[in-house]
Amino acid sequence: MARIRFPVLIALGLFVGALALSSALKDRHYLLLSLVLLCAALLPMFLRLERRKLEPRDLVLLAVLAAIAAVSRIPFAALPSVKPVSAIVILSAYVFGAEAGFLIGAVAALVSNLYFGQGPWTPWQMFAWGMAGLTAGWLRNTRWMRTRPGLLLFGFVWGFLFGWIMNIWYLIGLPDAFSLGLVATVYASSFYFDLAHALSNVVFLSILAGGWIKVLERFRKKYGLLR
């Protein structure tokens, strides 16, 4: 855990800085906010991964898992908030660790938006899915996370956390973004979408957890991936 604490603090610091800049710049914030948040989502973990000795097969595995997570959004495009992306990111981090989970989540958001459309929301999605993967990897060895109910509860909670992070992006694009009344309205209106995401995480984790964990664990042990 200590190995990744410093990069995480950098990412969170940049994230908070992006919020402060967005408040100050108002209508001119989008480009700068996207660039700053993109750094918050990718740069700290890339710096951490740069220090690790990664084999080509490790990079291939990360790319494949990110691609699977990205493509999994497309069949569910007509169902708002119902996507298997979060479940795939969480399970990947559960087996391969926090750094891999962060990178898979961030890259999956970026790649999938080649289909869904890029915009100022993309870095926020990269950060949100990246943090879902990072925290899953961070907590994977805890007693409660090693149980099926604990894993499902983690996915349920991140269904809401993802929506709350994305609500911040929506709010800063509105006038009087930090009015408590407006904040309460936005978060209340997103409740059912967040609930749908949370419940879909539980469903997809229930379906995928057993098989995916066994297969990924087998690959990790047999080929010594991401040790």
Side-chain angles (χ1 to χ4, degrees):
M1 185 179 299
R3 295 183 309 167
I4 59 174
R5 185 173 297 165
F6 186 62
V8 172
L9 290 177
I10 295 175
L12 292 176
L14 288 171
F15 183 78
V16 173
L19 296 181
L21 285 172
S22 69
S23 177
L25 296 175
K26 295 189 180 298
D27 293 338
R28 297 173 295 164
H29 75 274
Y30 283 117
L31 180 58
L32 181 58
L33 176 62
S34 297
L35 291 175
V36 171
L37 197 51
L38 183 62
C39 291
L42 292 179
L43 183 58
M45 289 304 154
F46 273 130
L47 291 175
R48 172 60 193 155
L49 288 169
E50 183 67 22
R51 298 176 183 176
R52 292 186 58 178
K53 183 179 179 181
L54 292 177
E55 300 291 338
R57 59 190 179 186
D58 296 330
L59 297 176
V60 170
L61 174 70
L62 291 172
V64 169
L65 290 174
I68 292 173
V71 172
S72 71
R73 288 184 69 188
I74 298 176
F76 298 90
L79 300 174
S81 301
V82 178
K83 306 289 184 292
V85 183
S86 297
I88 295 173
V89 171
I90 290 170
L91 292 175
S92 299
Y94 186 87
V95 175
F96 295 111
E99 295 162 349
F102 189 97
L103 191 61
I104 291 168
V107 172
L110 179 65
V111 172
S112 63
N113 280 351
L114 295 175
Y115 175 83
F116 288 97
Q118 303 285 358
W121 56 85
T122 298
W124 294 85
Q125 291 175 328
M126 294 173 68
F127 185 85
W129 266 317
M131 291 302 294
L134 185 138
T135 52
W138 214 344
L139 300 172
R140 63 178 176 154
N141 292 322
T142 58
R143 181 180 300 178
W144 65 272
M145 191 71 165
R146 283 289 176 181
T147 66
R148 174 65 66 101
L151 181 62
L152 298 183
L153 177 61
F154 179 87
F156 183 85
V157 170
W158 257 104
F160 281 94
L161 292 178
F162 183 94
W164 294 346
I165 292 173
M166 295 306 298
N167 284 347
I168 297 172
W169 163 77
Y170 178 72
L171 279 166
I172 61 176
L174 298 175
D176 300 322
F178 294 98
S179 162
L180 291 179
L182 183 58
V183 171
T185 299
V186 169
Y187 275 81
S189 63
S190 74
F191 173 79
Y192 291 107
F193 295 98
D194 299 337
L195 179 62
H197 189 180
L199 293 176
S200 71
N201 285 351
V202 172
V203 171
F204 287 120
L205 285 171
S206 298
I207 295 172
L208 297 175
W212 269 66
I213 291 175
K214 289 180 181 179
V215 170
L216 294 179
E217 286 280 7
R218 186 179 304 167
F219 272 94
R220 184 179 65 83
K221 293 177 181 178
K222 183 175 182 179
Y223 299 104
L225 297 172
L226 295 170
R227 290 177 294 180

